[in-house]
């Protein structure tokens, strides 16, 4: 994968874990352009599976690497996910998180709807670039309750924005630079809630290649109990070489 003179090496994977009978995460890595999309279905019913698949397929088919195009793509995602769930009689919704490289410049666009995440490791510092669209995040920011309280725990599962939401909330669309040496991680909460910050930073900083990092992180999620489906995509930026 290449963008604006940078070589982006990417690997991705997903595990079902031990809680659910099937994997309701959906992952897409486009081999023809620098595009990675992750979705996490809400619940474990048919609506969850349909929402994730519909959201990812729609975004991949319609996304254009500029703000207007990305907002339009998510609006189409919202419409199609709601339509897909209209006759199901159950919750049909999912998160949607994407990395869309700008092939004309040294950067990328991040699209965020829900509580899947994008992290960036640069110069040894791991930063969370996205915001969780949850009541828990609002509570943490505004100090509504202690972080280790029962209220905070329950609020983690109350999404304020998601694909399929009846109010069609807009996504966060963020512009980021991509520099040689940067490592980006896209993941669902089945990974971020089970693998701690220090471990994420350590694996991303020491794994020899993105595939090794993905395998290690997913194995860690299972070792931590596999309480949810877990999905990870790792992109590493470099210069020169062949396609990744």
């Amino acid at each position: 994968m290449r963008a604006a003179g940078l070589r982006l090496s990417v690997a991705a994977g997903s595990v079902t874990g031990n809680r659910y009978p099937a994997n309701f995460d959906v992952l897409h890595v486009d081999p023809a352009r620098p595009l990675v999309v992750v979705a996490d279905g809400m619940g474990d019913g048919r609506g969850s599976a349909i929402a994730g698949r519909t959201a990812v397929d729609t975004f991949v088919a319609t996304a254009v690497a500029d703000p207007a195009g990305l907002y339009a793509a998510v609006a189409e995602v919202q419409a199609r996910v709601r339509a897909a769930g209209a006759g199901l009689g159950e919750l049909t919704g999912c998160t949607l998180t994407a990395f869309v490289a700008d092939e004309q410049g040294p950067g990328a666009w991040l699209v965020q709807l829900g509580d899947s995440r994008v992290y960036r490791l640069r110069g040894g510092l791991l930063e969370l670039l996205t915001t969780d669209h949850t009541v828990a995040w609002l509570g943490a920011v505004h100090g509504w309750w202690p972080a280790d309280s029962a209220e905070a725990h329950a609020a983690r599962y109350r999404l304020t924005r998601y694909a399929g939401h009846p109010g069609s909330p807009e996504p966060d669309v963020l512009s980021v630079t991509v520099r040689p040496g940067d490592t980006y991680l896209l993941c669902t909460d089945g990974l971020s809630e089970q693998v701690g910050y220090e471990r994420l930073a350590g694996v991303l900083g020491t794994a020899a290649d993105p595939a090794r990092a993905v395998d290690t992180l997913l194995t860690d999620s299972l070792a931590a109990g596999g309480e949810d489906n877990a999905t990870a995509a790792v992109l590493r930026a470099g210069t020169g070489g062949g396609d990744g």
Side-chain angles (χ1 to χ4, degrees), residues 27-157:
L27 168 68
H28 180 90
V29 178
D30 194 324
R33 64 185 193 182
L35 170 66
V36 178
V37 189
V38 171
D40 181 0
M42 299 169 66
D44 60 355
R46 187 177 174 214
S48 176
I50 289 175
R53 186 76 268 163
T54 300
V56 170
D57 288 350
T58 301
F59 186 84
V60 169
T62 59
V64 177
D66 62 60
L70 294 171
Y71 281 117
V74 174
E76 185 66 19
V77 166
Q78 292 283 23
R80 293 194 190 182
V81 172
R82 284 198 307 273
L88 292 182
E90 64 178 90
L91 177 63
T92 304
C94 65
T95 70
L96 183 73
T97 300
F99 178 102
V100 186
D102 184 350
E103 298 183 45
Q104 305 304 315
W109 298 98
L110 306 181
V111 177
Q112 173 73 352
L113 200 62
D115 65 348
S116 298
R117 291 180 169 184
V118 182
Y119 294 87
R120 179 179 64 198
L121 181 68
R122 173 182 288 173
L125 175 64
L126 182 66
E127 294 181 274
L128 176 60
L129 300 182
T130 52
T131 295
D132 292 352
H133 297 147
T134 64
V135 174
W137 189 279
L138 294 176
V141 170
H142 297 290
W144 292 346
W145 45 65
D148 59 352
S149 66
E151 293 89 348
H153 179 78
R156 290 159 59 192
Y157 304 103

Side-chain angles (χ1 to χ4, degrees), residues 138-205:
L138 294 176
V141 170
H142 297 290
W144 292 346
W145 45 65
D148 59 352
S149 66
E151 293 89 348
H153 179 78
R156 290 159 59 192
Y157 304 103
R158 294 169 57 191
L159 294 183
T160 57
R161 293 191 240 173
Y162 58 87
H165 190 293
S168 298
E170 293 182 339
D172 293 335
V173 176
L174 310 174
S175 175
V176 296
T177 59
V178 179
R179 300 177 183 172
D182 283 353
T183 299
Y184 288 82
L185 167 68
L186 282 74
C187 65
T188 59
D189 64 349
L191 183 69
S192 60
E193 288 190 1
Q194 295 192 108
V195 181
Y197 171 88
E198 295 294 341
R199 179 60 176 171
L200 290 176
V203 171
L204 294 174

